[in-house]
Amino acid sequence: MAVILTTPVTATFYHRFCDALRSASTYNQAEQERPAAVLWTDKERQWEALIPRLQKEFPLLVLGAYAPEKRTGPALYLRCLIDRTLPDADWSPDEIPVLYLPGISKQELRAVESCPTLLQPLAELQYRGVVWTQINGRDWTIAAFLQNAEKGLGLAVSSDAATREAMQRALEKLADEPVATLQKDAPLTAARFNALLNPEPVRNLLLYLDHPEEAKAGMDAAAWKAFCADCNQEFNFDPENDGPLTAARLLAERQGSWNGVWNRFAEAPFRYGNLPTQLSKAHPTKPDLLYVRESWPDENQQGETELRAALLSLESKTLSEAKALLQQLEKMHGERRQWVWAQLGNAPLAGILPALLTLAEATADAAHGATPTELAEMYASEGWKADAAVLSALAGVESGEDVAAVKAAVRALYAPWLTASAEVFQKAVAAHPLPATKTITASPKTGHCVLFADGLRYDVAQTLVAALTEKGMAVKSGWRFGPLPGVTPTAKPAVSPAAAALGPGAEFSAQVLSDGAKVEITILRRELQKAGYAILPDADTGSPSGSAWTESGNLDSSGHAQGWKLARRIPEEIRSLTERVTALLNAGWQEIRIITDHGWLLLPGNLPTVTLPQHLTDGENTRKGRCARLKPSAIYEGQIVPWHWDASVRMAVAPGISTFVAGKEYEHGGLSLQECVLPVLTITKATILQASPTITDIKWKGLRCQVTITGDASGLTADLRTNAVDSSASVSETTPQVKNGQASIPIKDSVPEGQAVIVVLLDATGKVIAQQVTILGT
């Protein structure tokens, strides 16, 4: 009788084993009687893990405790099944049952009289059936089946005990391994079998280090034994006897294979949040020859403590002393920025040292120049870097004690320079008054959008320039002097395209010349519309057929509300502005002009305060932090500037970097380079990068694949392949050009329906720039 084998093309261990077991019932009908059963002895019980699965393949009866639902029972029950005297024998008459005898060897069945009493009902079957064994009469073991070239797989397998134990543990996983893969990996070793249960030994070891009990609980008994075996063999560590703290010490020492474990940890330390605690517990009392400083979180923490104390001491040092100390601190602590603890956010002070060094360099010399323009040019070239460094340092710390240390360093380095620069600028303005502010864009023109960003200081604007440039936009960056005083009610209307329709009003506000309306947001928008500018609120991109005005950003309101914490909001503001510009350009606007009304001063720990008597000001709401509207008759000994809207109105400005109102870390409206030098950015549509092509939809119509592509797909072709990067793996009749975001790809008739194929988009050089898997015909 021939046996039909069921091995597929991509055969697995399980497929081949099933075929071998089926072939045991093969017999010559012309010369032999049909076997009553195939007796499968397994003294070592090696195959028990596969029995439930094998019972689904053919009638397989198991010697054991009575469980008819599992076709399992004592010898007499099994004999009755084989003789079909019980209704449970419900398999086809054409099938020959297999009788699995765990814990029984062939030798025990040798003679009916001498075999164990419990087996005697079955012993006779060895004469009416066939016993499935190796040619040498021994039971089939896993190793024997792997090695046997005639009936098994013919693979080389290590003969050591560790390999035998590993293959036994991994049997259920081994069953699904492709034979071709096993052939490729031969000779098979314990490590290869353990990998089936512990496929990522390094990652699993890190998970064990992170949470030992949880890691163990997440493995079944076989996987845990495989894990322990791998640890013993690969890392010279026994989880059962050595414990996690020993492993933590070995990890920190990074010797041999442990160095790879450390590198894996360092690639993604956020995945192992408890591991630093484990390392701290394992920290040695005294360093030895294997001590690696950067491995230990305690070393980093000690470094942060020392650095914090040193930064706090800067308040009592001269500028030159502070700069020298910072350079020394960088030599001592700069390397910690490369340690894994910096990735975890545990070295913030080491992280902000470069910003403080930049600040020290940028503030080495105070602003110098005879005219406001000379000073502004110097500031636009280099001076703004000091302001940017302050924001960067403040944004880099979170905890109260770290913030205090950075504030101390900033005040020591920045406050003297900021004061001196403001005083030099005020002296220059006294001798050479600032030129009158001109409207940047007066006449509307097609495709032009003005984006107003309140309080976009020059240094923040340079960060925005970098972000926009990185997105593929060409940005023209310039500067201008702002209207005086630099407060929103005065300056915002003054820089807007509606300025020509406005004039002086009460307090600091402008008013509409035609009807005397006070210029607030609704009135300003009304006048802008009269001037020919559409108003684009929030995310609205409007129609680029004309001109438009839109607003974005909350720098000024955040500064007034949060003081020095504005530094933490800068990245968010930059992202928001970048997204807004990108959306406008993608909507068809040809040019975006970003303007602002004023800059600002920011000094953690508050700007100094000077007194301005209330009786000198022209009304109840005519005093701001850095400026005040004076009464016509007031005698003020400080610096006075003319009001932008009416030169006869005198505006008092606070000296240096002081304020008329106490408790201000953030303020504007006075005379300083930071407040008066305003950025002007022009971004053009012609240079913005188009969105990368993306496959967004795939549909099948017979033997044609209809592909939809979004983004810039000009010059691209489409193909269907079984291997994305191999052009010889194409299954397409042709590779059509992408037209209007669509491609229709005809497929060869020989490709079977249901096969997985890959849609690829190719540039002119044949490079794959996008791909997506699809199933033919679905």
Side-chain angles (χ1 to χ4, degrees), residues 283-291 299:
H283 191 273
T285 55
K286 291 183 180 181
D288 56 21
L289 292 177
L290 298 179
Y291 192 79
E299 288 283 355

Side-chain angles (χ1 to χ4, degrees), residues 616-630:
L616 298 179
T617 60
D618 191 17
E620 185 176 345
N621 298 312
T622 55
R623 182 175 66 167
K624 300 283 188 179
R626 290 273 291 157
C627 61
R629 178 170 176 159
L630 296 173

Side-chain angles (χ1 to χ4, degrees), residues 571-592:
E572 177 187 336
E573 293 289 330
I574 295 298
R575 284 194 298 272
S576 177
L577 287 165
T578 301
E579 290 169 2
R580 183 63 170 145
V581 171
T582 301
L584 290 167
L585 290 173
N586 284 339
W589 293 94
Q590 298 174 18
E591 180 182 273
I592 310 298

Side-chain angles (χ1 to χ4, degrees), residues 43 209 259 268 327 354-355 463 482 611 635 738 771:
K43 180 65 174 178
L209 279 164
N259 190 54
Q327 291 171 340
T463 305
T611 301
I635 298 175
V738 178
Q771 66 185 61

Side-chain angles (χ1 to χ4, degrees), residues 53 228 235 737:
R53 184 171 176 182
C228 292
F235 307 110
Q737 289 274 343

Side-chain angles (χ1 to χ4, degrees), residues 328-660:
Q328 181 182 353
L329 292 172
E330 171 63 17
K331 291 179 181 178
M332 295 171 58
H333 299 280
E335 66 172 341
R336 290 196 292 109
R337 289 193 294 276
Q338 308 306 316
W339 292 7
V340 68
W341 317 118
Q343 293 185 56
L344 292 170
N346 295 331
L349 294 179
I352 57 91
L353 269 178
L356 293 180
L357 284 167
T358 298
L359 178 59
E361 291 293 335
T363 57
D365 297 313
H368 54 275
T371 68
T373 299
E374 290 176 356
L375 289 166
E377 291 288 359
M378 178 221 65
Y379 176 73
S381 175
E382 295 292 331
W384 65 270
K385 295 177 182 178
D387 304 323
V390 169
L391 295 178
S392 178
L394 290 171
V397 288
E398 292 284 345
S399 72
E401 56 184 1
D402 287 347
V403 169
V406 173
K407 283 184 176 181
V410 165
R411 291 192 67 86
L413 297 166
Y414 186 55
W417 175 85
L418 193 62
T419 300
S421 297
E423 290 173 347
V424 169
F425 184 67
Q426 288 163 9
K427 182 177 179 181
V429 172
H432 306 278
L434 298 183
T437 300
K438 295 181 180 179
T439 301
I440 293 177
T441 304
S443 302
K445 55 183 179 180
T446 300
H448 177 85
C449 182
V450 179
L451 192 161
F452 175 80
D454 193 3
L456 182 65
R457 197 169 70 172
Y458 191 86
D459 58 311
V460 180
Q462 300 316 298
T463 305
L464 176 59
V465 168
L468 294 171
T469 302
E470 187 177 352
K471 289 289 187 180
M473 308 175 205
V475 185
K476 182 180 178 181
S477 178
W479 67 271
R480 61 180 294 192
F481 286 119
L484 295 177
V487 292
T488 300
T490 288
K492 183 176 180 179
V495 300
S496 77
L502 310 178
E507 300 166 350
F508 294 97
S509 299
Q511 68 178 21
V512 180
L513 293 173
S514 61
D515 60 10
K518 181 180 179 180
V519 178
E520 295 175 340
I521 185 63
T522 55
I523 299 300
L524 178 60
R525 290 175 179 174
R526 183 193 72 181
E527 295 304 311
L528 284 166
Q529 288 177 313
K530 288 182 179 179
Y533 286 79
I535 306 301
L536 305 181
D538 300 326
D540 186 6
T541 55
S543 170
S545 59
S547 292
W549 166 277
T550 189
E551 300 181 24
S552 183
N554 298 292
L555 283 166
D556 190 43
S557 60
S558 296
H560 284 297
Q562 300 179 28
W564 71 267
K565 292 181 181 177
L566 169 65
R568 297 175 178 172
R569 295 289 304 276
I570 299 300
E572 177 187 336
E573 293 289 330
I574 295 298
R575 284 194 298 272
S576 177
L577 287 165
T578 301
E579 290 169 2
R580 183 63 170 145
V581 171
T582 301
L584 290 167
L585 290 173
N586 284 339
W589 293 94
Q590 298 174 18
E591 180 182 273
I592 310 298
R593 181 74 60 88
I594 300 180
I595 64 173
T596 192
D597 50 354
H598 59 74
W600 31 270
L601 296 178
L602 185 145
L603 184 66
N606 295 334
L607 297 159
T609 306
V610 295
T611 301
L612 177 69
Q614 186 67 42
H615 69 269
L616 298 179
T617 60
D618 191 17
E620 185 176 345
N621 298 312
T622 55
R623 182 175 66 167
K624 300 283 188 179
R626 290 273 291 157
C627 61
R629 178 170 176 159
L630 296 173
K631 290 180 178 179
S633 59
I635 298 175
Y636 175 66
E637 296 181 357
Q639 191 160 0
I640 296 174
V641 296
W643 186 29
H644 168 81
W645 293 108
D646 184 349
S648 67
V649 175
R650 300 179 305 151
M651 293 287 176
V653 290
I657 60 171
S658 60
T659 66
F660 295 136

